[in-house]
Amino acid sequence: MNITVVGTGYVGLVTGACFAEMGNTVTCVDTDQAKVARLNQGEVPIYEPGLDAIVQNNHKAGRLSFTSSLSEAMADSSVYFIAVGTPPGEDGSADLQYVLDVARQIGQHLDNYGVIVNKSTVPVGTADKVREVVAQQLDERNLDIAFDVVSNPEFLKEGAAIDDFMRPDRIVVGVESPRAREVMAELYQGFSRNHDKLMFMGVRDAELTKYAANAMLATKISFMNEVANLAERMGVDIEQVRKGIGSDSRIGYSFIYPGCGYGGSCFPKDVKALMHMGDEFGYQTDILCSVEERNQAQKHRLYEKLSERFADGLSGRTIGVWGLAFKPGTDDMREASSVTLINRLIDAGATVRAYDPVAMDEARLQFPDTVFAAGKLVLCEHQYDALADADAMVLVTEWKPFRQPDFNAIKKLLKQPVIIDGRNQYDPYSLKAQGFDYTGIGRDRLG
Ligand SMILES: NC(=O)c1ccc[n+]([C@@H]2O[C@H](COP(=O)([O-])OP(=O)(O)OC[C@H]3O[C@@H](n4cnc5c(N)ncnc54)[C@H](O)[C@@H]3O)[C@@H](O)[C@H]2O)c1
């Protein structure tokens, strides 16, 4: 099939590359011309394990190309994926300007029957808006061309995106017309040899499914963080509680790891967008409000723990931070807990030395030049450099190289053997035996 994918971010680029890998001919479109130029030179602008090879191989084989001209891309295809961003607006609602802009352009260039697929995460009712915008453009061109709008939300995880796309748990397709359903079934047959994976449903059902999935996962995390904070006050080890409840098959182990809050480009914005949908539909989403509030507060826990430990103040102290990305496996720092922590430390007069295996370039963009110029934030080349003469080490992102570090080296480097573990990676008993002053999340008065 000939496919157009609009937007070459984490979702669009993975979608385009994976469809090309299955033998389809894919043209990816992005308004960011610098990005398109890099992609045409075989350079992948984001970090996603395995993506480079798939993009480069398919580009070389002529199945994957990149352009900033949507009309050029549309000339050869009849399926158009919209995979542009839907960032949060000021009121928390999903900002649809990019999606509707693409819809308008599709309407300006559509010449034959086409299937327009919303892959971006969009509120219930967006397919109707896309349909209206396209129809209006066709009206203005005095054309009567049939088209369908389908909802096909994406469930990939950054850091495991290729595997998730190639071997999905499910493929949700919201579709009303039999013609579009046939196109989508053909498109996804290679990814769903077990046909149960392809789930057809109503367009609005599919739109809500995506938000409900992310909100459920966010709820599990915030719930566990709440219990962890309670455990700290009770002298209980939350890690024992986690194992104790995760073994219940009705609960399971996924997404019940306590930590310093969820971030990324999806959970925070999708929870807020669903709350906003609640307002629009006259329903108060109490659980979602609490999930969001708990998460906002949880992102401050590491700073609070440092403040408790250094009761005489953090001004003039140096803190070593391991991990900047919002989770391991990605360079994405959108809504990362590291940003909250570092901003608060700098505001308090501390100096931060930080290291991340892949997000260092992204970190340079996240903070103003002034903090680097003033030496308030130093990005270090190696993980141990970040701890040199620091008053404490804080683990924010649980990258693999941080999981079994050389604690002897850490102890020698730190001015004081203080470890704040935002992801409960280390054993409090063993660290205390080695002379560390250790605090995790939900495991404070242990050892
Ligand atoms: N990142 C994830 O893990 C993930 C997972 C599932 C779903 N989603 C959803 O997928 C959507 C895209 O997310 P992302 O993380 O890939 O976004 P992103 O910000 O990484 O990429 C969006 C891309 O779209 C481009 N763009 C914007 N307007 C355009 C236009 N008019 N024409 C062409 N290109 C345009 C931008 O230049 C950018 O390259 C969002 O709705 C998001 O919620 C994201």
Side-chain angles (χ1 to χ4, degrees):
M1 265 193 189
N2 282 358
I3 301 165
T4 296
V5 179
V6 191
T8 59
Y10 291 88
V11 167
L13 190 54
V14 169
T15 301
C18 291
F19 276 126
E21 180 75 0
M22 287 294 189
N24 298 287
T25 303
V26 182
T27 309
C28 290
V29 185
D30 206 292
T31 42
D32 183 338
Q33 296 189 355
K35 212 180 219 184
V36 170
R38 284 176 73 183
L39 285 162
N40 273 321
Q41 280 160 14
E43 221 186 293
V44 174
I46 51 171
Y47 175 83
E48 182 59 49
L51 185 59
D52 288 35
I54 300 197
V55 168
Q56 285 154 6
N57 291 344
N58 285 284
H59 187 46
K60 265 192 214 138
R63 285 189 299 267
L64 182 62
S65 55
F66 304 96
T67 175
S68 43
S69 161
L70 180 58
S71 59
E72 189 185 301
M74 283 180 66
D76 295 325
S77 66
S78 55
V79 184
Y80 316 109
F81 279 88
I82 303 179
V84 296
T86 46
E90 281 192 3
D91 58 358
S93 64
D95 181 350
L96 290 178
Q97 62 167 310
Y98 306 103
V99 169
L100 297 180
D101 187 38
V102 176
R104 197 159 23 251
Q105 290 182 55
I106 291 176
Q108 284 162 0
H109 301 291
L110 194 69
D111 281 328
N112 287 301
Y113 172 75
V115 180
I116 300 162
V117 188
N118 274 344
K119 193 159 252 321
S120 300
T121 302
V122 288
V124 174
T126 301
D128 297 335
K129 289 187 181 157
V130 167
R131 198 175 296 112
E132 270 167 37
V133 169
V134 175
Q136 196 184 345
Q137 293 302 318
L138 291 175
D139 267 1
E140 284 179 20
R141 294 167 62 206
N142 284 323
L143 290 174
D144 183 18
I145 297 172
F147 69 94
D148 284 303
V149 180
V150 167
S151 167
N152 171 219
E154 182 49 56
F155 297 95
L156 64 76
K157 301 182 287 296
E158 286 177 22
I162 301 292
D163 205 45
D164 287 346
F165 199 95
M166 288 300 209
R167 279 174 284 277
D169 288 338
R170 78 303 208 184
I171 301 159
V172 168
V173 179
V175 57
E176 316 288 352
S177 103
R179 193 174 179 187
R181 181 182 166 133
E182 216 171 281
V183 171
M184 296 306 287
E186 191 186 334
L187 199 54
Y188 275 115
Q189 65 180 1
F191 300 87
S192 174
R193 298 186 70 187
N194 165 5
H195 281 270
D196 296 349
K197 287 192 177 171
L198 195 49
M199 293 180 188
F200 289 108
M201 56 180 78
V203 170
R204 293 166 83 87
D205 305 336
E207 289 172 336
L208 185 55
T209 298
K210 173 63 193 176
Y211 283 101
N214 276 357
M216 169 61 99
L217 297 173
T219 301
K220 286 183 88 173
I221 296 172
S222 276
F223 170 82
M224 207 55 192
N225 284 336
E226 185 130 308
V227 181
N229 296 341
L230 196 53
E232 280 174 6
R233 286 158 176 80
M234 296 167 159
V236 167
D237 182 354
I238 192 67
E239 286 303 309
Q240 301 305 328
V241 176
R242 180 179 66 75
K243 289 176 200 153
I245 65 170
S247 52
D248 183 331
S249 61
R250 295 169 302 175
I251 297 172
Y253 287 106
S254 309
F255 284 81
I256 58 165
Y257 290 90
C260 48
Y262 58 74
S265 67
C266 293
F267 288 5
K269 89 170 166 60
D270 292 349
V271 169
K272 280 184 221 133
L274 191 51
M275 284 161 61
H276 193 268
M277 276 180 251
D279 292 342
E280 278 189 344
F281 285 84
Y283 181 77
Q284 196 174 320
T285 49
D286 293 333
I287 292 178
L288 299 178
C289 289
S290 302
V291 167
E292 161 66 9
E293 263 174 38
R294 174 72 267 135
N295 195 56
Q296 286 301 334
Q298 200 70 12
K299 285 183 172 177
H300 293 272
R301 288 299 292 140
L302 296 176
Y303 178 81
E304 287 161 6
K305 282 172 186 285
L306 282 166
S307 299
E308 280 160 27
R309 176 61 187 70
F310 298 105
D312 52 343
L314 285 158
S315 179
R317 296 203 181 270
T318 299
I319 308 297
V321 170
W322 276 7
L324 296 166
F326 86 92
K327 67 173 184 178
T330 182
D331 58 351
D332 200 338
M333 284 183 67
R334 288 178 278 189
E335 305 250 4
S337 301
S338 63
V339 177
T340 307
L341 171 67
I342 291 171
N343 282 333
R344 285 207 70 184
L345 286 170
I346 292 172
D347 286 350
T351 296
V352 177
R353 295 176 64 80
Y355 171 80
D356 187 283
V358 304
M360 303 293 261
D361 289 343
E362 192 53 40
R364 277 186 198 94
L365 305 174
Q366 285 286 334
F367 298 94
D369 290 345
T370 47
V371 301
F372 296 112
K376 299 310 288 175
L377 174 57
V378 182
L379 298 177
C380 301
E381 291 234 339
H382 300 288
Q383 71 188 74
Y384 292 100
D385 290 350
L387 308 183
D389 276 335
D391 293 280
M393 162 190 157
V394 185
L395 177 81
V396 184
T397 317
E398 67 278 32
W399 285 96
K400 285 199 184 92
F402 301 157
R403 292 193 195 169
Q404 292 180 305
D406 179 344
F407 286 110
N408 285 330
I410 293 177
K411 208 164 170 197
K412 279 191 197 133
L413 286 164
L414 291 175
K415 265 198 290 207
Q416 310 187 49
V418 176
I419 293 183
I420 311 278
D421 178 358
R423 303 289 175 183
N424 288 358
Q425 292 297 300
Y426 307 134
D427 176 4
Y429 301 96
S430 154
L431 286 193
K432 281 193 180 157
Q434 291 174 64
F436 282 97
D437 178 343
Y438 171 90
T439 308
I441 304 284
R443 40 186 2 197
D444 251 7
R445 301 187 335 241
L446 308 173

